[in-house]
Amino acid sequence: MRELKNEKGVTLIELLAVLVILSIILLLTATVLITSMKTTTRASGDQRLQQEANLIVETIRNEYLSKEGLKKIEINITENGLEMIDKVISTGYEYQFCENEANKQEIYKTTENDFCLEIKNSNGRHYTIETKFSKLY
């Protein structure tokens, strides 16, 4: 009878088992990375929409609170973007006023005004601005 020698090395079964385990680990890691990248991109786009909304509201608010100028502010949706008093205040998005189908909204400086605007980016994500403009006299 022959004695079995202690041979160094791995068998084909052991090698296949290690490859299967590594493949599962790599697949799970790739899935987590892809999901986190998509989530980060979506969150970044949402944040840009919110920042654009803040810019729009602050620009309108500054004009609304200014003592000089017109008694009403006209905000228009044009092919150039969102305009106020012949000045573009936002571009690069799709805009729609919430309560009317018109491309124009007027804000009177002497009364309380509801303002609602939806901003949509090229990925279909949207953000809705809902606020009031009013002065305390």
Side-chain angles (χ1 to χ4, degrees):
M1 211 172 171
R2 227 166 102 188
E3 264 185 55
L4 293 176
K5 296 180 183 177
N6 187 8
E7 295 183 25
K8 294 184 181 180
V10 292
T11 66
L12 182 60
I13 303 271
E14 291 170 334
L15 185 60
L16 287 174
V18 168
L19 287 175
V20 167
I21 291 169
L22 283 177
S23 297
I24 291 170
I25 291 170
L26 287 174
L27 182 65
L28 291 174
T29 304
T31 302
V32 167
L33 287 175
I34 290 170
T35 303
S36 66
M37 285 173 30
K38 286 180 181 177
T39 302
T40 301
T41 302
R42 189 177 318 121
S44 174
D46 289 350
Q47 185 178 22
R48 273 190 236 108
L49 281 172
Q50 290 176 353
Q51 288 174 339
E52 191 69 19
N54 288 338
L55 172 72
I56 291 167
V57 169
E58 283 302 308
T59 304
I60 295 169
R61 185 181 81 66
N62 287 340
E63 183 62 34
Y64 182 82
L65 293 176
S66 74
K67 298 205 182 281
E68 52 199 54
L70 307 170
K71 295 288 183 206
K72 79 174 176 181
I73 303 167
E74 231 178 70
I75 296 138
N76 297 304
I77 300 171
T78 68
E79 60 275 352
N80 297 330
L82 195 65
E83 293 183 358
M84 175 181 69
I85 312 170
D86 298 327
K87 174 177 106 175
V88 176
I89 57 174
S90 178
T91 61
Y93 297 95
E94 214 176 289
Y95 310 93
Q96 181 177 352
F97 292 113
C98 301
E99 294 156 9
N100 60 36
E101 296 293 321
N103 287 336
K104 175 169 86 171
Q105 184 165 352
E106 296 175 340
I107 297 176
Y108 295 91
K109 289 186 172 186
T110 55
T111 62
E112 184 175 276
N113 299 269
D114 290 326
F115 182 77
C116 185
L117 178 73
E118 182 178 17
I119 306 170
K120 192 182 292 186
N121 67 12
S122 59
N123 296 333
R125 305 288 293 172
H126 63 88
Y127 187 80
T128 303
I129 303 166
E130 293 185 67
T131 190
K132 284 184 186 284
F133 293 103
S134 64
K135 289 183 184 178
L136 296 174
Y137 292 100

